[in-house]
Amino acid sequence: MIRPRRSLLFMPGSNARALEKARLLPADGLILDLEDAVAPDAKDTARDQIAAAVAARGYGHREVLVRINALDSPWWLDDIAMAAKVKPDGILVPKVSSVQDLTAVADRLSDLNADMAIRVWIMIETARGVLHAEELAAQSRDSEMRLAGFVFGPNDISRETGIRMLPGRPTMIPMITHCVLAARVHGLVVLDGPYSDIANVDGFAQECAQARDLGFDGKTLIHPGQIDACNATFTPPAEDVAQARAILAAFERPENKGRGAIQLDGRMVERLHAEIARKTIAIADAIERAGK
């Protein structure tokens, strides 16, 4: 079943007030964070607070992911054990660079007898991760890997490589396109990374529009004030949904059932447009079911 993933908001696990506030936010999903947003001496507290928050099942329709610490840290085993116990919708693993990294996560979840409903998301935020994006995405063919999607991480890529983050992200577009293509080849969801300049409303709106146009399903966020604008950008416009329904209806007419292309409102429409229409309608219907 398709679900909307227009906006996934990072929430620091060490901030109990933020975890409580997240119950009322209009984000499609929440990423309860044990990594970057949590200081080393607060990791244990954050883990306990996230465990309690997830176990309480108070986030309604929102998809709930737990971002664990990186595999080269001393905390990730405890993080993943907690997640296996409380059963979020998924875990988000930072700095995945190789199939071996993904296998380590899958093996640990298997050792813990974790529910197969817990999906694995990975952050593509290293040079090696970008280079291996297609190989990583291909692991989704193995159900034991649990792989559901990518989150592109431009800030860490910039830090590692020295590639500058410029307005409009011209330096990042080749890497973004590579990761989006890898995800699409293997049927994965792919989300854009966060926009850090929270005071720059126009810049954020422009980056959301760019992310949509580059093929992302949605965007990860770092501030609740970004949710509404992000949701608006990734929501199919009403006129697009109406057009999509008209395309499907046209192809379902008896005289068009065997045809690869038809005329509709003075233009040629092909079967590929029907596939695009189905996805548009599915997303729109999912948003409506969620009451947003």
Side-chain angles (χ1 to χ4, degrees):
M1 182 183 71
I2 289 180
R3 66 189 303 170
R5 294 185 173 100
R6 301 166 296 174
S7 55
L8 272 79
L9 177 67
F10 282 101
M11 302 297 283
S14 53
N15 187 332
R17 184 168 173 268
L19 294 177
E20 181 65 27
K21 181 181 179 182
R23 298 172 186 271
L24 303 175
L25 296 174
D28 288 335
L30 303 168
I31 303 172
L32 309 185
D33 194 15
L34 288 164
E35 196 214 12
D36 284 349
V38 179
D41 61 358
K43 299 289 188 184
D44 292 343
T45 297
R47 191 181 305 113
D48 291 344
Q49 291 184 165
I50 287 177
V54 174
R57 304 286 181 234
Y59 293 118
H61 60 266
R62 298 165 190 83
E63 188 167 20
V64 177
L65 308 182
V66 173
R67 179 162 71 168
I68 66 172
N69 284 281
L71 303 187
D72 61 356
S73 78
W75 303 293
W76 82 274
L77 290 172
D78 288 337
D79 295 345
I80 207 168
M82 176 273 288
K85 182 177 180 180
V86 301
K87 301 179 184 178
D89 294 304
I91 62 171
L92 176 60
V93 187
K95 300 177 177 65
V96 171
S97 297
S98 67
V99 172
Q100 288 72 26
D101 291 343
L102 192 54
T103 300
V105 172
D107 287 348
R108 187 59 188 149
L109 287 168
S110 178
D111 291 343
L112 293 165
N113 294 314
D115 192 320
M116 285 301 296
I118 302 173
R119 309 304 294 166
V120 171
W121 292 69
I122 60 176
M123 297 200 70
I124 305 297
E125 53 184 345
T126 67
R128 189 180 297 274
V130 171
L131 291 173
H132 291 174
E134 201 279 332
E135 183 182 3
L136 287 164
Q139 303 312 304
S140 62
R141 295 177 294 191
D142 182 350
S143 62
E144 295 297 317
M145 290 294 197
R146 304 167 180 253
L147 186 60
F150 285 174
V151 176
F152 185 74
N155 293 321
D156 280 286
I157 290 170
S158 176
R159 180 175 59 190
E160 179 185 329
T161 64
I163 297 171
R164 295 182 64 190
M165 288 283 290
L166 301 173
R169 300 191 289 185
T171 55
M172 289 281 168
I173 286 177
M175 288 176 284
I176 290 172
T177 302
H178 175 66
C179 292
V180 170
L181 290 174
R184 295 304 182 216
V185 165
H186 297 284
L188 296 177
V189 177
V190 58
L191 304 175
D192 195 13
Y195 184 80
S196 301
D197 188 0
I198 58 176
N200 187 348
V201 175
D202 291 341
F204 176 69
Q206 290 166 9
E207 188 162 293
C208 283
Q210 181 196 50
R212 176 200 61 205
D213 295 345
L214 285 169
F216 285 110
D217 293 288
K219 192 166 179 63
T220 55
L221 311 176
I222 57 172
H223 192 278
Q226 298 174 322
I227 297 172
D228 288 342
C230 189
N231 283 348
T233 299
F234 284 97
T235 297
E239 57 270 24
D240 288 2
V241 177
Q243 179 68 20
R245 296 192 192 281
I247 289 171
L248 292 189
F251 273 109
E252 288 168 3
R253 293 174 192 148
E255 65 270 25
N256 293 331
K257 290 235 173 180
R259 301 178 65 182
I262 60 174
Q263 284 195 41
L264 180 65
D265 298 329
R267 66 188 183 95
M268 294 301 297
V269 179
E270 300 179 23
R271 285 282 172 185
L272 68 89
H273 297 113
E275 292 303 315
I276 296 169
R278 285 190 184 91
K279 182 175 181 181
T280 298
I281 292 168
I283 290 292
D285 288 348
I287 292 167
E288 185 175 355
R289 282 195 302 271
K292 298 181 286 182

